[in-house]
Amino acid sequence: MMRMTDTVKQLLIINIIFYIGSNFVGDVAYQLFSMYLPVNPNFRYWQPLTSMFMHAPMPNLMHILFNMFALVSFGSALEQFWGSKKFIFFYISCGLGAALLHTGVNYFQYHQALEVLQSAKIPQDVIATILKEGKYNDALVDLVPLSTIEQFYFSFNTPSLGASGAIYGLLTAFAFMFPNAELALMFIPVPIKAKYFVPGIIAIDLFLGFKGSSLFGSGGTGIAHFAHVGGALCGFLMMWYWKKNSFNKNRWDL
């Protein structure tokens, strides 16, 4: 088993500290450090960075366990190859890329729903009540689809959190550098090569992201699929650039 590298170990410790601390402090920590829509009063300029160290509160342990397992498994291999400075730059960049795409999609959905409400001549005070409290008269559903009302409320009020975007960047980099490495999962009995596995899970995230968006109606999963895609996209662009400009081609055939 590969030794856990120093930067990966430090990231693991920081994530655990954030997780224990946020569970101890409670809602205040999640309001301060999770990522809110920029038009939300809870938004703070540091949230694109801090949100990647936050995870779903107890008793939900799978969120942080899966992310930290992937961080150690894939991050150690990449840091050993790159060194700590390039690794941490890549990791943070992918996390910020994930926050950017997720927030952009959320912002689009929020304004799309707002335009529908305004076009239906819904009074401003009713719109404000929906936004702040999630409350509305049942008669409103006769004028505006329920999915639009839910999209309006949740895109504004639901924060994003987790290291998943940065992790997807690591997965993308791993598939670039070790395309023939076989990855085994508990729910798939046959090992799958990284060059097939990683694009496959990204495609699934992209499909589920669109399925849960207003483009395909309601039905979201409660998972920030576009954050995953954003992290993977950022990782892909960085790897493509580095491969084209910085490395001997033979070093990528490991």
Side-chain angles (χ1 to χ4, degrees), residues 19-47:
Y19 185 71
I20 295 174
S22 59
N23 276 275
F24 179 77
V25 174
D27 290 342
V28 174
Y30 286 96
Q31 289 174 2
L32 282 175
F33 299 125
S34 300
M35 178 70 189
Y36 282 88
L37 207 61
V39 293
N40 189 299
N42 287 322
F43 174 77
R44 301 291 185 271
Y45 64 86
W46 57 75
Q47 290 175 352

Short mmCIF file of all heavy atoms in Angstrom, two decimals, residues 19-47:
data_model
loop_
_atom_site.label_atom_id
_atom_site.label_comp_id
_atom_site.label_asym_id
_atom_site.label_seq_id
_atom_site.Cartn_x
_atom_site.Cartn_y
_atom_site.Cartn_z
N TYR A 19 -14.68 18.99 10.22
CA TYR A 19 -15.86 18.14 10.43
C TYR A 19 -16.24 18.07 11.90
O TYR A 19 -17.41 18.28 12.26
CB TYR A 19 -15.57 16.73 9.90
CG TYR A 19 -16.78 15.82 9.95
CD1 TYR A 19 -17.84 16.02 9.09
CD2 TYR A 19 -16.85 14.77 10.86
CE1 TYR A 19 -18.96 15.20 9.13
CE2 TYR A 19 -17.96 13.95 10.91
CZ TYR A 19 -19.01 14.16 10.03
OH TYR A 19 -20.11 13.35 10.09
N ILE A 20 -15.28 17.82 12.75
CA ILE A 20 -15.55 17.74 14.20
C ILE A 20 -15.99 19.11 14.72
O ILE A 20 -16.98 19.21 15.48
CB ILE A 20 -14.31 17.24 14.96
CG1 ILE A 20 -13.99 15.79 14.55
CG2 ILE A 20 -14.54 17.33 16.46
CD1 ILE A 20 -12.69 15.26 15.13
N GLY A 21 -15.29 20.15 14.32
CA GLY A 21 -15.62 21.48 14.79
C GLY A 21 -16.99 21.94 14.36
O GLY A 21 -17.75 22.50 15.17
N SER A 22 -17.36 21.70 13.10
CA SER A 22 -18.67 22.14 12.61
C SER A 22 -19.79 21.37 13.27
O SER A 22 -20.87 21.93 13.53
CB SER A 22 -18.74 22.00 11.09
OG SER A 22 -18.52 20.66 10.69
N ASN A 23 -19.56 20.09 13.56
CA ASN A 23 -20.59 19.32 14.26
C ASN A 23 -20.73 19.78 15.71
O ASN A 23 -21.83 19.74 16.27
CB ASN A 23 -20.26 17.83 14.21
CG ASN A 23 -20.73 17.17 12.93
OD1 ASN A 23 -21.87 16.75 12.81
ND2 ASN A 23 -19.84 17.08 11.95
N PHE A 24 -19.64 20.22 16.29
CA PHE A 24 -19.69 20.71 17.68
C PHE A 24 -20.35 22.09 17.74
O PHE A 24 -21.21 22.33 18.60
CB PHE A 24 -18.27 20.78 18.24
CG PHE A 24 -18.20 21.29 19.64
CD1 PHE A 24 -18.53 20.48 20.72
CD2 PHE A 24 -17.84 22.61 19.91
CE1 PHE A 24 -18.48 20.95 22.03
CE2 PHE A 24 -17.77 23.09 21.21
CZ PHE A 24 -18.10 22.26 22.27
N VAL A 25 -19.99 22.97 16.83
CA VAL A 25 -20.54 24.34 16.84
C VAL A 25 -21.98 24.36 16.34
O VAL A 25 -22.83 25.08 16.88
CB VAL A 25 -19.66 25.27 15.98
CG1 VAL A 25 -20.29 26.66 15.87
CG2 VAL A 25 -18.27 25.37 16.59
N GLY A 26 -22.26 23.58 15.29
CA GLY A 26 -23.62 23.51 14.78
C GLY A 26 -23.87 24.42 13.59
O GLY A 26 -22.97 24.70 12.80
N ASP A 27 -25.11 24.93 13.47
CA ASP A 27 -25.55 25.66 12.29
C ASP A 27 -24.70 26.88 11.97
O ASP A 27 -24.51 27.23 10.81
CB ASP A 27 -27.01 26.09 12.44
CG ASP A 27 -27.97 24.91 12.38
OD1 ASP A 27 -27.55 23.84 11.91
OD2 ASP A 27 -29.13 25.07 12.82
N VAL A 28 -24.19 27.54 12.99
CA VAL A 28 -23.39 28.74 12.77
C VAL A 28 -22.18 28.43 11.90
O VAL A 28 -21.84 29.19 10.97
CB VAL A 28 -22.93 29.36 14.11
CG1 VAL A 28 -21.98 30.52 13.87
CG2 VAL A 28 -24.13 29.82 14.92
N ALA A 29 -21.52 27.31 12.14
CA ALA A 29 -20.35 26.92 11.36
C ALA A 29 -20.73 26.66 9.91
O ALA A 29 -20.02 27.07 8.98
CB ALA A 29 -19.69 25.69 11.97
N TYR A 30 -21.87 25.98 9.71
CA TYR A 30 -22.30 25.67 8.35
C TYR A 30 -22.71 26.93 7.60
O TYR A 30 -22.49 27.05 6.39
CB TYR A 30 -23.44 24.65 8.38
CG TYR A 30 -22.95 23.26 8.72
CD1 TYR A 30 -22.99 22.79 10.02
CD2 TYR A 30 -22.40 22.44 7.74
CE1 TYR A 30 -22.51 21.53 10.35
CE2 TYR A 30 -21.92 21.18 8.05
CZ TYR A 30 -21.97 20.73 9.37
OH TYR A 30 -21.48 19.49 9.67
N GLN A 31 -23.30 27.90 8.30
CA GLN A 31 -23.67 29.16 7.67
C GLN A 31 -22.44 29.99 7.30
O GLN A 31 -22.42 30.69 6.29
CB GLN A 31 -24.58 29.97 8.60
CG GLN A 31 -25.97 29.38 8.75
CD GLN A 31 -26.81 30.11 9.78
OE1 GLN A 31 -26.37 31.09 10.37
NE2 GLN A 31 -28.02 29.63 10.01
N LEU A 32 -21.40 29.91 8.10
CA LEU A 32 -20.19 30.70 7.85
C LEU A 32 -19.30 30.09 6.77
O LEU A 32 -18.72 30.82 5.96
CB LEU A 32 -19.38 30.85 9.14
CG LEU A 32 -19.86 31.88 10.16
CD1 LEU A 32 -19.01 31.80 11.42
CD2 LEU A 32 -19.80 33.29 9.56
N PHE A 33 -19.18 28.77 6.74
CA PHE A 33 -18.15 28.15 5.93
C PHE A 33 -18.66 27.36 4.73
O PHE A 33 -17.86 27.01 3.85
CB PHE A 33 -17.29 27.24 6.81
CG PHE A 33 -16.59 27.97 7.92
CD1 PHE A 33 -16.75 27.58 9.24
CD2 PHE A 33 -15.79 29.06 7.64
CE1 PHE A 33 -16.11 28.26 10.27
CE2 PHE A 33 -15.13 29.75 8.65
CZ PHE A 33 -15.30 29.35 9.98
N SER A 34 -19.95 27.05 4.65
CA SER A 34 -20.50 26.41 3.46
C SER A 34 -20.68 27.46 2.37
O SER A 34 -20.65 28.66 2.63
CB SER A 34 -21.84 25.74 3.78
OG SER A 34 -21.68 24.75 4.78
N MET A 35 -20.89 27.02 1.13
CA MET A 35 -20.95 27.94 -0.02
C MET A 35 -22.40 28.29 -0.35
O MET A 35 -23.18 27.44 -0.76
CB MET A 35 -20.29 27.27 -1.23
CG MET A 35 -20.32 28.11 -2.49
SD MET A 35 -19.26 29.55 -2.37
CE MET A 35 -19.74 30.42 -3.85
N TYR A 36 -22.74 29.58 -0.15
CA TYR A 36 -24.07 30.08 -0.49
C TYR A 36 -24.01 30.85 -1.81
O TYR A 36 -22.96 31.32 -2.24
CB TYR A 36 -24.58 31.01 0.61
CG TYR A 36 -25.12 30.30 1.83
CD1 TYR A 36 -24.27 29.94 2.88
CD2 TYR A 36 -26.46 29.96 1.93
CE1 TYR A 36 -24.75 29.28 4.00
CE2 TYR A 36 -26.95 29.30 3.05
CZ TYR A 36 -26.10 28.97 4.08
OH TYR A 36 -26.58 28.31 5.19
N LEU A 37 -25.18 31.00 -2.41
CA LEU A 37 -25.31 31.82 -3.60
C LEU A 37 -24.88 33.25 -3.26
O LEU A 37 -25.23 33.76 -2.19
CB LEU A 37 -26.76 31.79 -4.07
CG LEU A 37 -27.05 32.01 -5.55
CD1 LEU A 37 -26.38 30.93 -6.39
CD2 LEU A 37 -28.55 32.03 -5.80
N PRO A 38 -24.12 33.93 -4.12
CA PRO A 38 -23.64 35.28 -3.80
C PRO A 38 -24.74 36.29 -3.46
O PRO A 38 -24.47 37.27 -2.76
CB PRO A 38 -22.90 35.69 -5.08
CG PRO A 38 -22.41 34.41 -5.63
CD PRO A 38 -23.50 33.41 -5.34
N VAL A 39 -25.98 36.06 -3.91
CA VAL A 39 -27.07 36.99 -3.59
C VAL A 39 -27.70 36.68 -2.24
O VAL A 39 -28.55 37.43 -1.76
CB VAL A 39 -28.15 36.98 -4.69
CG1 VAL A 39 -27.60 37.56 -5.99
CG2 VAL A 39 -28.68 35.55 -4.91
N ASN A 40 -27.28 35.59 -1.61
CA ASN A 40 -27.80 35.23 -0.29
C ASN A 40 -27.06 36.01 0.78
O ASN A 40 -25.83 36.14 0.72
CB ASN A 40 -27.63 33.72 -0.06
CG ASN A 40 -28.34 33.22 1.19
OD1 ASN A 40 -28.05 33.65 2.29
ND2 ASN A 40 -29.26 32.29 0.99
N PRO A 41 -27.77 36.54 1.80
CA PRO A 41 -27.10 37.29 2.87
C PRO A 41 -26.05 36.48 3.63
O PRO A 41 -25.15 37.05 4.25
CB PRO A 41 -28.26 37.69 3.80
CG PRO A 41 -29.48 37.65 2.95
CD PRO A 41 -29.24 36.56 1.95
N ASN A 42 -26.15 35.15 3.58
CA ASN A 42 -25.18 34.30 4.27
C ASN A 42 -23.88 34.13 3.51
O ASN A 42 -22.93 33.53 4.02
CB ASN A 42 -25.78 32.91 4.54
CG ASN A 42 -26.82 32.94 5.64
OD1 ASN A 42 -26.67 33.66 6.63
ND2 ASN A 42 -27.89 32.18 5.47
N PHE A 43 -23.82 34.65 2.28
CA PHE A 43 -22.60 34.47 1.48
C PHE A 43 -21.46 35.28 2.09
O PHE A 43 -21.61 36.43 2.50
CB PHE A 43 -22.83 34.92 0.04
CG PHE A 43 -21.58 34.90 -0.79
CD1 PHE A 43 -21.08 33.70 -1.27
CD2 PHE A 43 -20.89 36.07 -1.07
CE1 PHE A 43 -19.91 33.67 -2.03
CE2 PHE A 43 -19.73 36.06 -1.83
CZ PHE A 43 -19.24 34.85 -2.31
N ARG A 44 -20.28 34.65 2.14
CA ARG A 44 -19.05 35.31 2.56
C ARG A 44 -17.97 35.02 1.51
O ARG A 44 -17.95 33.93 0.91
CB ARG A 44 -18.59 34.80 3.93
CG ARG A 44 -19.61 35.00 5.04
CD ARG A 44 -19.77 36.47 5.40
NE ARG A 44 -20.65 36.68 6.54
CZ ARG A 44 -21.98 36.82 6.45
NH1 ARG A 44 -22.57 36.76 5.26
NH2 ARG A 44 -22.70 37.02 7.53
N TYR A 45 -17.06 35.94 1.33
CA TYR A 45 -16.08 35.82 0.24
C TYR A 45 -15.15 34.63 0.41
O TYR A 45 -14.54 34.16 -0.56
CB TYR A 45 -15.28 37.12 0.10
CG TYR A 45 -14.41 37.46 1.29
CD1 TYR A 45 -13.12 36.94 1.43
CD2 TYR A 45 -14.89 38.30 2.30
CE1 TYR A 45 -12.32 37.25 2.52
CE2 TYR A 45 -14.10 38.62 3.40
CZ TYR A 45 -12.82 38.10 3.50
OH TYR A 45 -12.04 38.40 4.59
N TRP A 46 -15.00 34.12 1.63
CA TRP A 46 -14.08 33.00 1.85
C TRP A 46 -14.75 31.63 1.60
O TRP A 46 -14.07 30.61 1.60
CB TRP A 46 -13.55 33.04 3.28
CG TRP A 46 -14.63 33.02 4.35
CD1 TRP A 46 -15.39 31.95 4.76
CD2 TRP A 46 -15.08 34.14 5.12
NE1 TRP A 46 -16.29 32.33 5.74
CE2 TRP A 46 -16.11 33.67 5.98
CE3 TRP A 46 -14.70 35.49 5.17
CZ2 TRP A 46 -16.76 34.52 6.87
CZ3 TRP A 46 -15.36 36.33 6.07
CH2 TRP A 46 -16.38 35.83 6.90
N GLN A 47 -16.05 31.61 1.39
CA GLN A 47 -16.78 30.34 1.29
C GLN A 47 -16.36 29.45 0.11
O GLN A 47 -16.40 28.22 0.26
CB GLN A 47 -18.28 30.60 1.27
CG GLN A 47 -18.81 31.09 2.61
CD GLN A 47 -20.28 31.48 2.58
OE1 GLN A 47 -20.91 31.53 1.52
NE2 GLN A 47 -20.83 31.76 3.75
#
